Amino acid sequence: KAVILGFLCFIIFLILHILIFRTVDLKERFRTLAAIFFAIIPLYVVVYAVLPTDYLVVVPLQPVNPVLSLSTIQFLSATLNFLSGLMLYIFLFLGYCQFYFIVDRSISVRVMIEIDNADGKKLSYDDIMRVYSFHGILRRRLDHMLEDRFLVKDGEFYKNTPKGDIEAKVFRFLKDFLKLG
């Protein structure tokens, strides 16, 4: 039941995402996406608790040579079953976030769309810079970081907030550790 429930929660998330994003003009879109995701977790917990426990158990309830007591096995089974559905929902959301950011922020995708929209389906480098300038990209990214409180503006300068400092340190470590340059 947990796997099916986790998958159904993700379907509900997708439906709400589409309905809200198509009907409401949002500034903080990813924050809204995350709010939808977190709002569905209590639904998962409540529906899981209400449904009968004998659906799709992960651990068999009657082992041949029991090392653990039956009550311990039942507890482990219920816990693993609950967590497997919840983790499925979380991993589906994380995978969807990758898709979302490719569609929303990918420079490559935007350039290909601009080429596809152009007369003759081709653009020169200068044409691409006119329709999709680096300054526009950078301005949008800076605005997102200001909205998400990773940066603050100090006169004409940008500074990391404590949240931005932590993020910068974590990602600098990961980039160094994985030798990503």
Side-chain angles (χ1 to χ4, degrees), residues 6-22:
F7 185 72
L8 288 175
C9 283
F10 183 70
I11 297 299
I12 292 167
F13 161 81
L14 283 178
I15 291 168
L16 289 173
H17 171 221
I18 292 166
L19 289 174
I20 292 169
F21 277 52
R22 295 205 39 91

Side-chain angles (χ1 to χ4, degrees), residues 146 150-154 157-161:
L146 287 167
F150 289 102
L151 300 177
V152 291
K153 199 157 183 195
D154 183 11
F157 296 98
Y158 292 91
K159 292 174 31 177
N160 284 340
T161 62

Side-chain angles (χ1 to χ4, degrees), residues 44-148:
Y44 174 85
V45 173
V46 168
V47 173
Y48 184 89
V50 170
L51 286 176
T53 58
D54 57 351
Y55 292 142
L56 301 172
V57 292
V58 176
V59 178
L61 294 179
Q62 307 265 335
V64 178
N65 293 316
V67 176
L68 304 171
S69 70
L70 185 58
S71 63
T72 302
I73 292 171
Q74 287 173 332
F75 172 78
L76 288 174
S77 175
T79 302
L80 289 174
N81 195 26
F82 173 81
L83 291 175
S84 67
L86 184 60
M87 293 308 295
L88 174 66
Y89 175 59
I90 291 168
F91 288 139
L92 285 171
F93 172 74
L94 293 174
Y96 185 75
C97 286
Q98 293 299 311
F99 166 77
Y100 173 84
F101 282 114
I102 287 171
V103 173
D104 185 47
R105 297 189 182 176
S106 171
I107 294 170
S108 302
V109 169
R110 173 70 190 271
V111 168
M112 289 185 286
I113 290 170
E114 293 299 339
I115 290 170
D116 189 57
N117 288 337
D119 292 335
K121 306 282 187 202
K122 61 183 179 180
L123 291 173
S124 69
Y125 178 81
D126 290 335
D127 292 337
I128 293 169
M129 288 303 289
R130 256 191 309 283
V131 296
Y132 195 48
S133 73
F134 174 73
H135 297 292
I137 298 167
L138 186 57
R139 170 67 53 210
R140 184 172 179 213
R141 296 284 170 95
L142 289 170
D143 289 345
H144 282 291
M145 288 186 283
L146 287 167
E147 287 172 8
D148 293 338

Side-chain angles (χ1 to χ4, degrees), residues 167-181:
E167 182 116 345
K169 285 175 178 48
V170 167
F171 283 103
R172 181 184 310 130
F173 168 77
L174 291 171
K175 284 177 73 91
D176 290 346
F177 181 75
L178 297 172
K179 298 203 181 283
L180 296 175

